[in-house]
DNA sequence: GATGCAAAAGGGAGCGCTCCCACGGAAAAC
DNA sequence: GTTTTCCGTGGGAGCGCTCCCTTTTGCATC
């Protein structure tokens, strides 16, 4: 009474070739095929060649789920990031992806719109559910700290751009050092002091840059003006710039990123203050447009791509169980262009 | 002589809780646990509650690989994209990710540095290897066409920003329409004709914008200057701008993107030509900084995020086997700011 | 109280792969 | 020539889940 002989049932689905098919074609066992794929050196060259031929002829692609079921590895890593539309996160992601690709890892991304314990946990869980081998969290906010302290201990993780020492490795650019360089550069041009337009409150990079800037002024015994606060956008830079333009004392401005600096440049110009003759402006990031603003913007270059690569390396160390470097900094670089100049007396 | 009783072996690995554990705890079979997770309505409420409690108490997370092995679905989709550092691709990716998230899909990304048949095939294969349920290919290059015509037929795919009718659905912004609007806007301000700074040769968007621009000039019987060619960068815009600034006939410039327009603005200013009094400039994209350039840049806004969402919707249709809309366009929008103005009689 | 019937729950196979172990045969040692 | 060694290969179990099919259960009906 068996009916499965019909042969018509399921004829719709062509059934992908599996390892057994390759084995049959090559005249070996499935085991040997598996070996050729994973530890080729343990298979005699001629057998290996035969198997490889069969693989090619049949267009065989190993089933990822099956492999990962038994190995417990997925070959994918997760990136939790805040708004990958921003230049920094986008470049970091790019660096991660690039490094991952050369190591045959795939990158799965989850964007978060807010950074707190709950949102981080949620994003990480989504990724775990897909059994990624590890996660990189791009969390430039102070408010992320709580979430980062409570990451699942059994999941290899690396954080990009966090502040304090965490239970996980951190890859970051030395923001303070960058701010120090920018500020010193302006002072060295003869300016009495440097005004600062900072990033939004919750951002670690913003406060670290404030600290760097302040430390230089304080060490040199200069007047420390209240920093203005922007939100990274050119718009906020423009608004702050209008305010600064009104004050004739202002001759040097350190904006916490290039987009805000862009807005500052426009505000200064509209107010009739020349850059750099009347006011010098330094940005931060070195976005690709920076050299082509008017005037070309002096800024602090941070190599986001390199940070991404570094983060991946640290994660790989974690995944492979090697002792991971706890915290690693990348040095930013001052790029002097034409938006900064010697203070004109008077 | 058995030694496995030692109990020490493998004690390192705590062994994650599996469905059977949950079943035991809830006093049901594994089958029922599976039902609670997948088709809860088929389980009596009290049983369901008991199972859910057990899940919670044990912190059970279903093994993704095992599930995907048997269902043949992974809940992940792949995005193949050209340089996600660029504003357009980054925003598109963001839109895709956003839409995917609300539908419980995860997004895995592969960047490609060149777009041709080989590189596309390679990227798609990497993704297939991870058994994604479908792929979205962001392929703004002419040279990608070949690769897009040879996608594996059994893998649901959607293309973003391709030109011609492909065997797969396409989501795109109507570039030609945008260029038409930009050009008409400039003509309506009284300019005799419009110079064009186009994007790099291989880019579909670049040539489509050229076509739109040319069609308007041609329809209106205007002189059609040779378009200059840039590479999307502010630098190339700057160089082209210097060239254009030399020609006093040039009173209206349509740059194929905002970054190039940024460079053009600088070049014009350095040459002493005022914007918009002497020369009007229109960009394309409406990057976030555009309103804060000096002067604020008139441009054509293309909603990349919306394109990403659309692409995801189309892909979902494919995955679910619904008839997919073949080609869908999103309308761009002209945004008039201060870089364009009426032609001053010269 | 017996019977019928739908709904709820379970048994067991199997998805495709890797890994432990066993085994055969050729090379090396006796 | 025989035994030992070792390399290359194969058999078979099992990873954790879903799904087909069967069994059990609860409950209305006669």
């Amino acid at each position: 009474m068996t009916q499965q002989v019909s042969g018509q049932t399921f004829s719709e689905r062509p059934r992908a070739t599996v390892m057994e098919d390759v084995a049959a074609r090559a005249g070996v066992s499935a085991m040997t095929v598996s070996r050729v794929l994973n530890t080729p050196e343990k298979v005699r060259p001629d057998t290996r060649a035969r198997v490889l031929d069969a693989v090619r002829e049949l267009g065989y692609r190993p089933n990822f789920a099956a492999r990962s079921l038994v190995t417990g590895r997925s070959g994918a890593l997760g990136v939790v990031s805040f708004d990958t539309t921003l230049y920094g996160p986008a470049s970091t992601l790019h660096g991660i992806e690039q490094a991952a690709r050369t190591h045959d890892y795939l990158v799965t991304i989850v964007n978060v719109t807010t950074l707190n314990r709950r949102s981080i946990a949620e994003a990480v869980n989504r990724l775990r559910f897909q059994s990624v081998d590890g996660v990189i969290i791009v969390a430039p906010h102070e408010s992320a700290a709580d979430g980062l302290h409570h990451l699942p201990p059994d999941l290899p993780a690396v954080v990009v751009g966090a502040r304090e020492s965490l239970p996980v490795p951190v890859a970051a650019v030395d923001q303070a050092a960058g701010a120090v360089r920018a500020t010193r550069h302006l002072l060295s041009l003869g300016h009495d002091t440097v005004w600062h337009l900072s990033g939004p409150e919750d951002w670690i990079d913003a406060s670290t840059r404030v600290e760097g800037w302040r430390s230089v002024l304080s060490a040199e015994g200069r007047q420390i003006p209240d920093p203005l606060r922007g939100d990274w956008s050119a718009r906020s830079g423009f608004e702050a710039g209008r305010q600064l333009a009104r004050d004739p004392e202002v001759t040097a401005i350190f904006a916490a990123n290039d987009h805000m600096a862009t807005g500052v440049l426009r505000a200064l110009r509209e107010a009739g203050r020349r850059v750099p003759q009347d006011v010098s402006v330094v940005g931060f990031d070195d976005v690709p447009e920076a050299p082509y603003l008017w005037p070309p913007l002096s800024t602090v270059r941070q190599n986001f791509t390199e940070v991404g690569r570094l983060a991946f390396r640290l994660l790989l160390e974690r995944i492979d169980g090697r002792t991971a470097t706890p915290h690693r900094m990348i040095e930013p670089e001052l790029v002097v262009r034409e938006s900064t100049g010697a203070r004109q007396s008077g």
Side-chain angles (χ1 to χ4, degrees), chain A residues 48-65:
Chain A
R48 195 193 310 157
R50 228 162 356 116
V51 170
L52 254 22
D53 284 348
V55 166
R56 209 167 304 119
E57 286 161 22
L58 267 42
Y60 169 70
R61 224 168 341 103
N63 180 301
F64 158 74

Side-chain angles (χ1 to χ4, degrees), chain A residues 39-304:
Chain A
T39 50
E41 72 280 4
K42 295 198 173 175
V43 178
R44 221 191 303 129
D46 58 320
T47 320
R48 195 193 310 157
R50 228 162 356 116
V51 170
L52 254 22
D53 284 348
V55 166
R56 209 167 304 119
E57 286 161 22
L58 267 42
Y60 169 70
R61 224 168 341 103
N63 180 301
F64 158 74
R67 165 179 291 180
S68 130
L69 173 58
V70 54
T71 59
R73 282 192 167 209
S74 69
L77 59 90
V79 173
V80 176
S81 176
F82 183 83
D83 193 356
T84 48
T85 291
L86 297 174
Y87 177 70
S91 307
T92 307
L93 174 62
H94 193 252
I96 295 172
E97 199 274 334
Q98 201 174 297
R101 189 146 24 94
T102 67
H103 289 259
D104 273 324
Y105 270 89
L106 240 38
V107 173
T108 296
I109 175 162
V110 174
N111 268 300
V112 291
T113 45
T114 53
L115 277 169
N116 52 44
R117 180 157 168 187
R118 186 201 177 80
S119 68
I120 290 180
E122 208 174 290
V124 169
N125 273 336
R126 284 177 52 78
L127 288 166
R128 292 195 95 186
F129 182 77
Q130 290 267 13
S131 52
V132 294
D133 294 339
V135 295
I136 295 176
I137 303 175
V138 182
H141 290 56
E142 307 275 8
S143 56
D146 187 29
L148 299 179
H149 274 287
H150 295 276
L151 291 174
D154 56 326
L155 179 70
V158 166
V159 174
V160 169
R163 175 191 281 278
E164 65 240 285
S165 63
L166 288 167
V168 293
V170 174
V173 167
D174 191 341
Q175 305 292 338
V180 165
R181 275 167 217 180
T183 311
R184 284 220 185 104
H185 167 59
L186 289 168
L187 292 184
S188 77
L189 291 168
H191 298 278
D192 292 337
T193 189
V194 175
W195 271 256
H196 182 49
L197 168 54
S198 89
E201 188 154 13
D202 190 39
W203 287 67
I204 293 168
D205 293 352
S207 26
T208 320
R209 287 172 205 170
V210 171
E211 287 157 22
W213 160 78
R214 199 192 300 274
S215 73
V216 171
L217 295 188
S218 159
E220 305 252 337
R222 308 301 176 97
Q223 179 216 340
I224 304 182
D226 280 342
L228 283 80
R229 204 175 274 292
D231 63 5
W232 298 135
S233 75
R235 189 187 48 68
S236 70
F238 176 65
E239 282 159 14
R242 279 213 283 218
Q243 204 171 318
L244 290 167
R246 270 187 239 117
D247 182 349
E249 300 244 313
V250 175
T251 64
I253 302 174
F254 166 39
N257 80 342
D258 288 351
H259 291 318
M260 293 196 295
T262 306
V264 169
L265 289 181
R266 179 184 154 205
L268 290 173
R269 182 148 303 114
E270 289 192 1
R273 308 208 51 192
R274 294 164 306 161
V275 178
Q277 295 87 337
D278 301 332
V279 184
S280 286
V281 177
V282 176
F284 209 109
D285 280 355
D286 197 25
V287 298
E289 301 79 61
Y292 301 97
L293 296 174
W294 195 62
L297 185 67
S298 296
T299 186
V300 179
R301 174 181 305 156
Q302 43 178 342
N303 194 333
F304 291 109

